[in-house]
Amino acid sequence: MGSANGLMGYRGKEPLLSFGVISDVQYADIPDGRSFLGVPRYYRHSILVLQRAVEKWNNSPKLKFTVNFGDIVDGFCPKDQSLTSVEKVVREFEIFNGPVYHMIGNHCLYNLPRDKLLPLLKIPTLDSRGYYDFSPVPEYRFVVLDGYDISVIGWPQEHPNTIEAWKFLREKNPNSDKNSPENLIGLERRFLMFNGAVGKEQLEWFDGVLQDATKSKQKVVVCCHLPLDPGASSKEALLWNYDEVMDVVHRYNCVKICLAGHDHKGGHSIDSHGVHHRVLEAALECPPGTDAFGQVDVFHDRLLLFGNDRMKSSEMIFNP
């Protein structure tokens, strides 16, 4: 099986904390298939990738928690198996000897509505909102954003967030198939039904969290299923209003890293304000016997992602 890819430790220094990462497991008890771009997908094997990840994390006693970046069950999962499949994957995560922090992905919402999904993922929420923050050590705060806050999937059809999302999509995407980017130019190609937006209330909450982190002299790691920077992701995978979210981020100096999933090939960029954007490679696209998961070591001036197999290792250095 896979070993960690090529990154050396930080001159023998002990990290402030370490945590595990995995994204886009998209398990389903169905034969292997392909994405709409023709990339192979290994629906049954992906849960084995997760099992190996949990085993490795449990053999790393310094790991404080793990973060799952969404899409635990695939949209092609037969709907009469949705609940049992989500429960099956959640049980695998719960074998980890510590907290697991989940976030919402589009494939999760193809299978279950928010009111059923969020309790299963133990997301601390009010009114079915999937955003929250936590501080595992005094020096750092982690912010989990809900990229499907404004979305045509997951909410009841009559919900104001669904109505707002449909209005937005009809204005931005003239195609009858709202998952098609045909004739959309450049960054407009993100206006697709399988993406979503962070709503006004969540943006205000996010601004308040960053204000508080600044006062507390905390560095912030932002986690969202949907990528927040075009340099790290295909245009078709971006959050609808990534620019508004990043406007909030750039008001402050506390956010150092933005981590995401959704764009299965992965990516890494540094934006104009020096914020790192790392999109994680998908567990779903691992051929049998290969892996995509990692361990992140956190220091005062960098995060080191030690990837396994198809997840690339990354050194993310920033100005503390």
Side-chain angles (χ1 to χ4, degrees):
M1 298 308 164
S3 59
N5 294 326
L7 195 66
M8 298 299 290
Y10 182 23
R11 295 191 296 276
K13 291 189 179 181
E14 277 297 306
L16 295 167
L17 74 145
S18 301
F19 63 97
V21 291
I22 194 167
S23 190
D24 297 270
V25 172
Q26 291 182 223
Y27 166 75
D29 187 11
I30 58 175
D32 295 342
R34 291 181 181 271
S35 73
F36 66 92
L37 294 174
V39 179
R41 293 182 162 184
Y42 304 94
Y43 297 109
R44 292 187 176 118
H45 176 255
S46 65
I47 201 166
L48 303 180
V49 177
L50 174 59
Q51 288 169 351
R52 292 193 289 266
V54 170
E55 182 181 10
K56 180 148 188 171
W57 295 333
N58 281 340
N59 287 328
S60 303
K62 65 181 180 178
L63 249 67
K64 210 172 179 83
F65 58 91
T66 193
V67 183
N68 161 44
F69 283 81
D71 279 2
I72 62 173
V73 170
D74 194 81
F76 283 131
C77 177
K79 294 302 162 275
D80 61 346
Q81 297 175 27
S82 286
L83 179 59
T84 54
S85 296
V86 170
E87 289 173 335
K88 181 175 181 176
V89 179
V90 168
R91 280 196 300 272
E92 295 296 339
F93 275 107
E94 288 177 344
I95 295 170
F96 174 64
N97 298 327
V100 178
Y101 296 99
H102 293 277
M103 64 200 75
I104 296 172
N106 52 310
H107 283 267
C108 306
L109 296 172
Y110 298 149
N111 282 279
L112 293 175
R114 282 171 172 268
D115 59 348
K116 289 188 169 61
L117 181 69
L118 293 178
L120 287 170
L121 299 180
K122 297 182 171 62
I123 292 177
T125 181
L126 293 170
D127 301 326
S128 292
R129 287 170 169 79
Y131 53 89
Y132 59 97
D133 67 308
F134 61 98
S135 180
V137 291
E139 298 91 340
Y140 273 87
R141 188 174 311 196
F142 286 70
V143 179
V144 176
L145 295 179
D146 180 354
Y148 292 90
D149 188 10
I150 307 299
S151 170
V152 299
I153 49 176
W155 298 104
Q157 283 305 302
E158 68 280 3
H159 194 282
N161 292 18
T162 311
I163 294 165
E164 182 180 342
W166 274 120
K167 182 174 183 291
F168 181 87
L169 261 187
R170 288 184 185 116
E171 288 171 0
K172 299 290 187 181
N173 186 335
N175 297 311
S176 56
D177 176 5
K178 299 301 182 193
N179 272 330
S180 169
E182 190 177 353
N183 298 322
L184 297 178
I185 307 299
L187 290 169
E188 292 176 354
R189 294 175 71 83
R190 72 188 188 274
F191 299 130
L192 304 172
M193 203 163 81
F194 56 69
N195 298 328
V198 167
K200 183 173 182 289
E201 189 177 319
Q202 185 180 174
L203 279 173
E204 290 170 355
W205 168 85
F206 184 43
D207 187 273
V209 170
L210 298 190
Q211 279 186 45
D212 189 61
T214 300
K215 287 175 191 165
S216 303
K217 296 183 167 55
Q218 290 177 312
K219 301 175 186 77
V220 174
V221 177
V222 173
C223 304
C224 184
H225 179 66
L226 291 160
L228 301 174
D229 186 68
S233 166
S234 64
K235 297 174 182 68
E236 293 83 357
L238 290 163
L239 186 81
W240 287 345
N241 64 335
Y242 77 88
D243 48 348
E244 290 183 324
V245 171
M246 293 311 300
D247 283 347
V248 175
V249 167
H250 293 154
R251 281 176 208 156
Y252 306 93
N253 293 316
C254 57
V255 176
K256 305 301 181 183
I257 313 280
C258 295
L259 300 175
H262 193 52
D263 194 18
H264 291 184
K265 69 183 183 302
H268 183 198
S269 65
I270 304 171
D271 71 23
S272 59
H273 287 65
V275 177
H276 286 263
H277 296 261
R278 181 66 173 88
V279 179
L280 302 174
E281 292 81 3
L284 173 66
E285 293 181 0
C286 294
T290 66
D291 290 321
F293 61 86
Q295 173 181 320
V296 180
D297 287 357
V298 179
F299 299 88
H300 75 286
D301 67 343
R302 69 194 64 196
L303 266 63
L304 302 182
L305 165 60
F306 295 90
N308 284 70
D309 268 5
R310 294 169 65 85
M311 184 172 287
K312 295 169 185 166
S313 294
S314 301
E315 185 174 44
M316 294 168 272
I317 302 172
F318 47 81
N319 186 341

